[in-house]
Amino acid sequence: ENQLWQQAIDLLLKIQKHYPRHEYTAAIPAKLASSYEATQQWELAAEQLLILVANEENKSNTSTVAQAESAALKREAQYTAADYYLKAGNTAKALTTFRKYAHTYPEPFDIAQEVRFKMSEFYRQSNEPNKQNFWFRKILSFHKKQHKASPQNIQPRAIELGSMAAFWLGVA
């Protein structure tokens, strides 16, 4: 509230260290991620988000609503962590984190297609055409599935990504 981010970080880390089993400790990764984001410590924020994802995976949610909320939280945290690694300039960790997202979360379709395209771009930049083409084929495969299931819900950007993937595969 007072935006004393570094003081908050220091305090949260002390609490986490001295009281690792306390019930409030579970909320610390989210608070640290917010604090690191506010201080533009992108890599540290990403690490806390991935801890949050891991903690959610270890929970045993019983209700359907809790499971849906947990899945959405994990998906958003995974994507944001990958994005933060990019902001930090850590391409290797961004690639790994986006790859996990791409293989784990096929929905929402538009975001998943963007992630698949980002994967193809990573491999274009590292001059690995076989891996780039792998992601182009993924884009096309999911585009075809989506088109069969509900063609009216495909957004223009998703059509553009599918077209680009088809073009580059045709050129390859």
Side-chain angles (χ1 to χ4, degrees), residues 113-153:
Q113 287 291 77
E114 286 291 346
V115 171
R116 293 179 193 109
F117 180 72
K118 285 181 188 216
M119 294 300 299
S120 73
E121 284 296 291
F122 282 122
Y123 291 119
R124 180 187 60 77
Q125 291 170 1
S126 64
N127 198 26
E128 297 177 75
N130 289 337
K131 291 180 180 180
Q132 182 182 19
N133 289 341
F134 170 85
W135 288 103
F136 284 152
R137 286 190 294 277
K138 285 279 194 188
I139 290 170
L140 283 177
S141 171
F142 279 94
H143 184 86
K144 288 176 186 175
K145 288 179 190 175
Q146 184 70 17
H147 189 268
K148 285 181 183 177
S150 59
Q152 70 280 5
N153 291 335

Side-chain angles (χ1 to χ4, degrees), residues 56 61-73:
E56 283 296 311
N61 295 321
T62 54
S63 74
T64 306
V65 173
Q67 288 176 350
E69 288 174 359
S70 177
L73 177 67

Side-chain angles (χ1 to χ4, degrees), residues 43 46 50 78-104 114-128 131-132 134-135:
E43 193 153 353
L50 293 180
Q78 185 78 32
Y79 183 92
T80 304
D83 200 36
Y84 285 173
Y85 281 130
L86 273 182
K87 284 183 177 185
N90 191 334
T91 307
K93 284 188 177 180
L95 172 66
T96 302
T97 310
F98 273 127
R99 183 185 304 120
K100 183 174 181 182
Y101 183 100
H103 287 302
T104 308
E114 286 291 346
V115 171
R116 293 179 193 109
F117 180 72
K118 285 181 188 216
M119 294 300 299
S120 73
E121 284 296 291
F122 282 122
Y123 291 119
R124 180 187 60 77
Q125 291 170 1
S126 64
N127 198 26
E128 297 177 75
K131 291 180 180 180
Q132 182 182 19
F134 170 85
W135 288 103

Side-chain angles (χ1 to χ4, degrees), residues 32-50:
L32 279 172
S34 295
S35 298
Y36 287 136
E37 177 185 339
T39 58
Q40 298 183 354
Q41 297 180 66
W42 304 118
E43 193 153 353
L44 293 172
E47 289 169 8
Q48 292 303 312
L49 289 170
L50 293 180

